[in-house]
């Protein structure tokens, strides 16, 4: 009996000492990376990695821009985000020298270009051709919008969802849409199968990182670095890779 009580006391003490990470995640599906029910691949990876180093992840779900606002204000400790230099002003990324360390990313996000069937837009991996005066649609708050602008096209970031952009495309209000490769095709198959097509070459591939508030990182530097390293080990493990195939 005394041994059982001692075990319970030690377990309770361990829980009390466990470091909590308040994470803000998108409140709508971002397949296969994050889901509101926690079943996304990036969420599974982060849970396993955090458990390995004794960190408890406390989840909050909100729209993308609100998550960023909460991180800036310190209301949460981390978000999942692609790297942009300006984002270093309000959060810390896993780094390798002066560049983000892609080996410690939680996932990789792929973006494709979509147009009306029979459209003239072409993407060769470096430049667009076949353009008219209409803009390209992209969801608000996406880091990839910066690269899209660098190609010289006009960008419309007025839509909050992929569905809204696909509706704009179907109506001819935008010439093309840049959107997630994983999430968009099922939406097209359900609602726009006869009207929208995907260009064959991927537009952008962006690592997705655990982006940590500077104060949280400063106070828990060793723990955060261990977590980022655990993300790499877990992602490369045979067990995790096998779980993605189920």
């Amino acid at each position: 009996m005394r041994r059982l009580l001692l075990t319970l006391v030690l377990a309770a003490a361990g829980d009390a000492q466990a470091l909590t990470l308040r994470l803000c995640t998108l409140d709508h599906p971002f397949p296969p990376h994050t889901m509101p029910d926690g079943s996304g691949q990036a969420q599974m990876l982060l849970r396993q990695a955090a458990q390995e180093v004794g960190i408890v992840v406390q989840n909050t779900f909100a729209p993308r821009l609100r998550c960023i606002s909460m991180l800036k204000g310190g209301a949460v400790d981390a978000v999942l985000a692609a790297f942009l230099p300006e984002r270093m002003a309000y959060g810390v990324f896993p780094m390798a020298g002066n560049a983000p360390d892609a080996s410690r990313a939680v996932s990789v996000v792929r973006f494709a270009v979509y147009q009306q069937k029979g459209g003239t837009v072409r993407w060769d991996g470096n430049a667009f051709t076949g353009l008219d005066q209409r803009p390209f649609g992209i969801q608000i708050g996406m880091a990839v919008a910066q690269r899209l602008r660098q190609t010289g096209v006009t960008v419309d970031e007025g839509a909050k969802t992929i569905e809204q952009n696909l509706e704009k495309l179907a109506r001819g209000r935008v010439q093309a849409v840049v959107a997630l490769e994983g999430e968009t095709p099922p939406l097209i198959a359900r609602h726009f199968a006869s009207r929208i097509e995907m260009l064959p070459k991927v537009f952008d591939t962006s690592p997705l990182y655990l982006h940590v508030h500077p104060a949280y990182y400063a106070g828990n530097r060793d723990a955060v670095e261990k977590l980022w390293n655990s993300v790499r080990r877990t992602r490369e493990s045979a067990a995790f890779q096998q779980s993605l195939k189920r």
Side-chain angles (χ1 to χ4, degrees):
M1 184 66 178
R2 288 180 180 176
R3 186 175 298 174
L4 175 59
L5 289 173
L6 179 60
T7 301
L8 293 174
V9 169
L10 290 175
D15 290 341
Q17 293 171 5
L19 181 64
T20 297
L21 178 80
R22 299 171 300 169
L23 175 69
C24 189
T25 309
L26 293 181
D27 62 352
H28 65 269
F30 187 54
H33 312 287
T34 67
M35 299 291 286
D37 65 0
S39 63
Q41 292 177 4
Q43 292 161 302
M44 292 166 52
L45 169 62
L46 190 56
R47 280 197 301 272
Q48 292 181 35
Q51 185 177 16
E52 180 183 292
V53 297
I55 293 177
V56 177
V57 178
Q58 186 180 88
N59 290 288
T60 296
F61 297 91
R64 178 178 291 102
L65 293 183
R66 189 179 302 167
C67 280
I68 293 173
S69 177
M70 292 172 73
L71 180 66
K72 289 180 177 179
V76 296
D77 304 315
V79 298
L80 300 181
F83 176 82
L84 287 176
E86 55 266 34
R87 289 179 173 174
M88 296 179 71
Y90 57 86
V92 184
F93 289 91
M95 304 294 286
N98 295 322
D101 186 354
S103 75
R104 296 193 284 175
V106 298
S107 192
V108 177
V109 180
R110 291 162 60 91
F111 289 89
V113 182
Y114 303 86
Q115 67 173 352
Q116 288 186 347
K117 281 195 173 179
T120 61
V121 176
R122 299 293 181 269
W123 168 248
D124 64 5
N126 295 298
F128 286 107
T129 56
L131 304 179
D132 58 29
Q133 299 302 310
R134 290 174 295 170
F136 277 39
I138 192 167
Q139 279 177 271
I140 188 170
M142 289 286 188
V144 72
Q146 185 178 89
R147 187 188 175 200
L148 186 58
R149 287 191 175 88
Q150 289 170 350
T151 68
V153 303
T154 302
V155 177
D156 176 353
E157 288 187 271
K160 294 182 179 180
T161 66
I162 293 175
E163 294 95 324
Q164 289 174 355
N165 265 332
L166 293 177
E167 187 62 39
K168 285 184 179 182
L169 180 59
R171 295 181 179 183
R173 292 170 56 190
V174 294
Q175 188 178 13
V177 164
V178 172
L180 286 167
E181 189 179 75
E183 184 176 355
T184 309
L187 294 174
I188 292 174
R190 286 198 298 270
H191 305 295
F192 307 97
S194 63
R195 293 183 284 171
I196 294 176
E197 64 186 7
M198 182 175 75
L199 299 192
K201 189 174 287 291
V202 171
F203 175 70
D204 186 78
T205 300
S206 300
L208 194 65
Y209 299 97
L210 183 68
H211 186 206
V212 179
H213 189 276
Y216 187 90
Y217 181 78
N220 305 282
R221 182 188 182 105
D222 289 346
V224 173
E225 291 288 345
K226 287 179 181 177
L227 176 56
W228 283 331
N229 291 338
S230 179
V231 164
R232 174 169 52 205
R233 286 193 302 273
T234 303
R235 194 183 69 185
E236 293 175 351
S237 70
F240 183 75
Q241 291 299 320
Q242 187 62 36
S243 73
L244 299 182
K245 300 175 183 178
R246 295 171 187 166

